[in-house]
Structure formats: structure tokens, C-alpha cells
Amino acid sequence: MKYKNMSAFLLLAITFTVTSFSQDLLSKEEAISQMLVNNFGIKIAENQVEVADNNQSVLNSGYLPTLTGNANAQYDRSNETREFPGAFNEDGTPRPNTEIEGAESQSYNASLNVNYLLFDGLGRFYNYKQLKETYNLTELQARETIENTTLQLFSVYFDVARLTENLEVFKQALEISQKRVTRSQYGFDYGQSTKLEVLQAEVDVVTDSVNVLNAKQQLLNAKRDLNVVLNRELETIGFQVDTLVEFENDLLLESFVEKAEFNNVTLLQAESQTRISDFEIKANKALLLPSVGLTGSYGWNRVNSPASAFFPGSVSRGNNLTVGANLTWNLFDGGRSIVGIKNAKILNDSQKLQEQQFELQVNRDIANALGNYRNLLKIYKIQEQNVETNQNNLERSRERLNLGQISSIEFRQAQINLINVQTNKNLAKYDAKLAELELLRLTGQLLNVEF
């Protein structure tokens, strides 16, 4: 009775949790679309690309002139006492002091100044090329982020798919065990089996029910992990995923491998960084050459002067236009430019060495990924055949159990064997597909194939 009560409780819990799910399908294409729009890492990478795009603009190139405006206004108010010692009027009396109170003066001026660099030893040219190449590098870094996030997405997506299929396996096992309980009970009631067989069948129902509950919880957890990658509400769990997996043609994969050096994002980034390093050397060499620039200014001024003891008040106005050219040549800066050039060359050599290192590592990774993929694909096909064999074995065991030729324990072992090979087949299928996706990532084709 104890087993029956526990079994009934577990069945009720399973029924409640399974029926609480809707059947909305989150396809692979829809998952990718949501990832590209919502994923935090991809958004940050897109912002970095936008910054690099702004930096490569002509507005940040140094090719445009600079224009500055200046304006000034000044007000002055003063009191003045002027003495004339030894000075006399016409009638011979001493000349009195002159008092000037509240003398006001104003001055105004404004100017526009233009500077334009005609030539700077091509430093500006190579700096601009550096900005352009930095933008290309940032785009490659964003592509790498998208590729890695896509691989992460499918790792979680396929985990959801695998657990979904495992859940069906455990539910089928539970259904078989439930039928065994009914059959064993009938057999006991009619004296064809012992109570031990009934109890054993009930124990197996409990075990299978627990397996279903655990698989259900694992599936819920995996769906929340998928929601994190997609940056959506964690409790959006009322969806199913596509469990259909198709593998790429082997000849197509080989063609991808042959062209990997032209498409692998790591190698492309290394090449871009080498080009940036080349431009850095040339920009440093430009410091040894003279620079030529043009200057121009236009100014306007007005001064209002108050009356004084000797002069009446006055107003003066003026404007001026100035155009000039200048040549600057830093003949010797203490050797800093020479040191900068030497260091830039050393860094360029290091970058080329790193590029060779990356090429060797990527070729190794591709060879390993191709071998892993082919090996896992073979394992999956073997597991498929193994499932078919164990299904036939279970059917034979069921027939022999009905005829009383084997015990319920032997039948249960056949059932457990089938459960194990089915879950192993599910694992092998998605492991093989993930290995294929890793190979596609390394060959630079992950974003160019259909899922």
C-alpha cells in the first residue's frame, strides 16, 4: 500500500508539471534572431563597432581645417585728478587741478582664426589608414562575439532538445512500468504470479516516476539557461525546441577546411593587427619629416575712449586680415622619434610571429575538430543501431515475460538497457552536431550555413 500511495503522488506531480507546458515551438532560426537582437554581449560588440565607425570618419582624420573664434568686451570706469605744478593761467594765477569723474571707456574685439595642415610627412595619412583598419578589426571582433555566442546558444538549445527527448524516454519507460503493475496485479489476483512481482513492478514505477521528475526539472533549468542567452524573461518556459538535427555534407565540410585560412576569424584578426602595426611604423617615420601649414585670421575691434584733460573723447574702429604659411621641422627631438620607430618595428615583428603562431594553432584546432566530429558522428550512428537492437530485445523480453519464460527482474534489465542506450543516443546526436558547429566556427562558416 505504501508503494501505491507514493506512486500515485508521483504520477499526480508528473501530470501537473507536464500539462502546464504549452506547445509553442522555438525554432533554431527564431532563437538566432532573438539572440542577435537581445544578447548583451552582441549589443556591446555592436556599440564598439559604432565607436570604431565614428573614429574612422573624416571628422576624426585630421584632414579638415580648424576654425576658432575669439571675442572680447571690456568696460572701464575711472575717476582722475590731474595736477599742474608750476603752471599758471594768463592772469598769473596758478592753474587749478582738473577733476575727471566717471570717465568711461569700452573696447570690443572679435577674430576668426583658420589653421590647415598641408603636409605632415604623411603621418596623418597613415593614422587615417590605421583608423580604417581598426574599424575592420572591430568588425571582426564583433563577428567573433557573434560566432561564440551562436555556439553558446546552440550548446544550450541542444541541451534543451536532448533533455526533451530524454523526458520522452523516461515517460515511455514509466508507461511500460505502469502496465507491468497492472499485469502483475492481475496475475497475482488469479494466482499466476507472486506478490513479489507486484511489489517489484511498483518499485520500478516509483523509480521511473522519479526519473521523469528529475528530467523535468533539468529541462526547466536548461530552458532558463537558454533564456539568459536570449536575454528574455527567465520564466518564459512554455516552449518546445526543434529536436531535428541534420548534418552537413562531408565534401562541403572538406571544402570549408581547405579555405579556412581565408575565413577563420582569428587569422583574419591577426592579419588586421599586422596591417595596423605596419601603419604604425610608417606613422612614426613621418615624425622625421617637416610639416607645412597655412594660417589665416580676420579681426575686428572698436575702442571708445573718454575725454581727458588734454584730449576730447574718441572712437576708434579697425579690422585686419592676415594670411600666412609656416614650415616646422623637428630636426632633433632627443632621439624619441628614432626610438619610437625602432619599437614599432619590433612590435611589428612580434605581431608577425604571433600571426604564424595563430595559424599553427588554428590548423591544429581544425584538424582536432574534424576528427572529433567524424568520431562522434560514427558513435551516433552506432548508438542508433544499438537503440534498434535494444528495442527488439525489449519486445522479445516482453513476449517471454508474458509466457513466463523470464522473470520481471530480467525484463526490467532489458528495459533499463533500452533507457540507457536511448539517452546515450540522444547525447551522441547533439554532441556530434555541436562538434560540427565548432568545425564550422573554426573554418569561418558558422554564420553562413542554415541550421
Side-chain angles (χ1 to χ4, degrees):
M1 189 65 182
K2 177 173 65 175
Y3 287 117
K4 289 184 178 179
N5 291 339
M6 184 181 298
S7 177
F9 172 76
L10 290 172
L11 288 173
L12 179 62
I14 293 169
T15 302
F16 175 76
T17 53
V18 170
T19 55
S20 64
F21 271 160
S22 68
Q23 299 299 316
D24 293 337
L25 176 66
L26 177 64
S27 66
K28 300 181 186 72
E29 293 75 14
E30 178 62 23
I32 292 174
S33 177
Q34 292 187 25
M35 177 199 72
L36 293 175
V37 173
N38 299 325
N39 183 266
F40 287 118
I42 292 177
K43 285 184 176 181
I44 293 172
E46 289 174 346
N47 288 340
Q48 292 171 340
V49 171
E50 189 173 353
V51 170
D53 190 25
N54 291 335
N55 288 337
Q56 70 156 352
S57 167
V58 68
L59 297 176
N60 192 45
S61 66
Y63 277 105
L64 300 180
T66 61
L67 176 64
T68 59
N70 297 301
N72 181 55
Q74 185 173 342
Y75 171 79
D76 182 62
R77 179 184 175 89
S78 61
N79 297 322
E80 181 181 355
T81 300
R82 187 172 293 275
E83 298 181 355
F84 304 95
F88 298 90
N89 295 326
E90 293 180 355
D91 57 2
T93 59
R95 184 174 178 177
N97 296 339
T98 301
E99 301 286 342
I100 301 177
E101 294 184 0
E104 296 181 351
S105 62
Q106 301 92 28
S107 63
Y108 310 93
N109 63 75
S111 65
L112 290 175
N113 303 285
V114 179
N115 289 279
Y116 183 65
L117 183 63
L118 285 176
F119 178 76
D120 67 342
L122 296 179
R124 174 178 54 182
F125 174 76
Y126 291 116
N127 286 332
Y128 188 48
K129 281 191 169 291
Q130 271 188 290
L131 294 175
K132 290 284 188 182
E133 192 58 46
T134 300
Y135 171 74
N136 294 334
L137 176 61
T138 307
E139 280 196 321
L140 289 171
Q141 291 169 342
R143 172 187 153 186
E144 182 180 33
T145 298
I146 294 173
E147 287 181 350
N148 292 336
T149 306
T150 301
L151 203 61
Q152 179 190 11
L153 167 70
F154 280 109
S155 176
V156 182
Y157 186 94
F158 288 146
D159 197 34
V160 174
R162 178 182 65 84
L163 292 170
T164 299
E165 291 190 319
N166 284 354
L167 179 59
E168 291 303 315
V169 170
F170 292 130
K171 286 166 63 178
Q172 290 173 8
L174 176 59
E175 184 179 352
I176 293 173
S177 296
Q178 288 170 340
K179 291 179 179 178
R180 264 185 56 215
V181 170
T182 302
R183 182 185 177 281
S184 298
Q185 186 63 51
Y186 284 153
F188 175 73
D189 291 341
Y190 290 100
Q192 296 178 350
S193 62
T194 65
K195 186 63 175 178
L196 181 61
E197 291 188 6
V198 177
L199 294 175
Q200 182 62 49
E202 290 178 345
V203 169
D204 292 340
V205 167
V206 172
T207 300
D208 292 337
S209 300
V210 171
N211 289 339
V212 171
L213 287 175
N214 287 334
K216 182 63 178 177
Q217 186 58 50
Q218 292 171 357
L219 179 58
L220 290 175
N221 295 343
K223 286 186 175 182
R224 293 189 183 97
D225 291 339
L226 182 57
N227 288 335
V228 170
V229 179
L230 299 178
N231 185 23
R232 62 182 192 173
E233 177 60 40
L234 289 179
E235 296 306 318
T236 305
I237 54 178
F239 64 91
Q240 301 295 326
V241 297
D242 186 3
T243 58
L244 178 64
V245 168
E246 295 181 356
F247 296 96
E248 295 292 339
N249 181 276
D250 198 55
L251 291 177
L252 183 62
L253 289 178
E254 289 183 359
S255 69
F256 290 161
V257 171
E258 292 174 357
K259 300 177 182 177
E261 62 179 311
F262 305 108
N263 298 310
N264 178 272
V265 71
T266 300
L267 296 182
L268 293 176
Q269 287 184 72
E271 293 173 2
S272 179
Q273 289 171 337
T274 299
R275 286 192 291 271
I276 291 174
S277 182
D278 289 335
F279 293 141
E280 181 68 23
I281 294 174
K282 294 175 181 178
N284 276 280
K285 287 182 178 179
L287 298 175
L288 302 178
L289 299 177
S291 61
V292 179
L294 295 178
T295 61
S297 67
Y298 174 79
W300 170 87
N301 63 79
R302 173 185 173 127
V303 177
N304 297 333
S305 301
S308 66
F310 299 100
F311 301 100
S314 63
V315 176
S316 63
R317 304 180 184 85
N319 56 69
N320 64 290
L321 176 65
T322 305
V323 178
N326 60 70
L327 182 146
T328 303
W329 196 342
N330 191 352
L331 297 176
F332 184 69
D333 62 355
R336 286 188 296 272
S337 297
I338 296 175
V339 171
I341 293 172
K342 289 182 177 179
N343 289 340
K345 288 181 177 179
I346 293 172
L347 293 175
N348 181 257
D349 291 338
S350 297
Q351 184 58 49
K352 290 178 179 178
L353 291 172
Q354 193 172 49
E355 186 176 345
Q356 295 174 9
Q357 180 186 16
F358 285 157
E359 183 176 359
L360 183 62
Q361 291 175 345
V362 167
N363 288 335
R364 175 207 61 191
D365 293 342
I366 290 175
N368 290 344
L370 182 60
N372 290 338
Y373 164 67
R374 287 174 173 171
N375 184 61
L376 289 169
L377 190 59
K378 289 178 183 177
I379 291 174
Y380 168 56
K381 291 180 179 178
I382 292 172
Q383 292 289 7
E384 276 189 317
Q385 183 62 44
N386 199 18
V387 167
E388 184 177 346
T389 300
N390 277 270
Q391 284 175 334
N392 293 333
N393 181 57
L394 183 65
E395 291 302 319
R396 292 284 303 274
S397 297
R398 193 197 313 270
E399 293 173 1
R400 296 182 64 189
L401 178 66
N402 293 337
L403 296 174
Q405 295 177 350
I406 62 172
S407 66
S408 60
I409 294 177
E410 292 175 305
F411 176 80
R412 177 61 177 176
Q413 186 59 52
Q415 186 184 16
I416 291 174
N417 290 341
L418 178 59
I419 293 172
N420 290 337
V421 297
Q422 284 178 322
T423 55
N424 288 339
K425 183 210 72 171
N426 294 338
L427 179 62
K429 177 172 71 171
Y430 296 112
D431 280 350
K433 186 60 180 179
L434 286 174
E436 181 192 79
L437 294 181
E438 172 64 12
L439 179 61
L440 291 172
R441 184 188 71 83
L442 290 170
T443 57
Q445 300 295 335
L446 181 60
L447 306 181
N448 300 328
V449 298
E450 295 182 1
F451 298 99

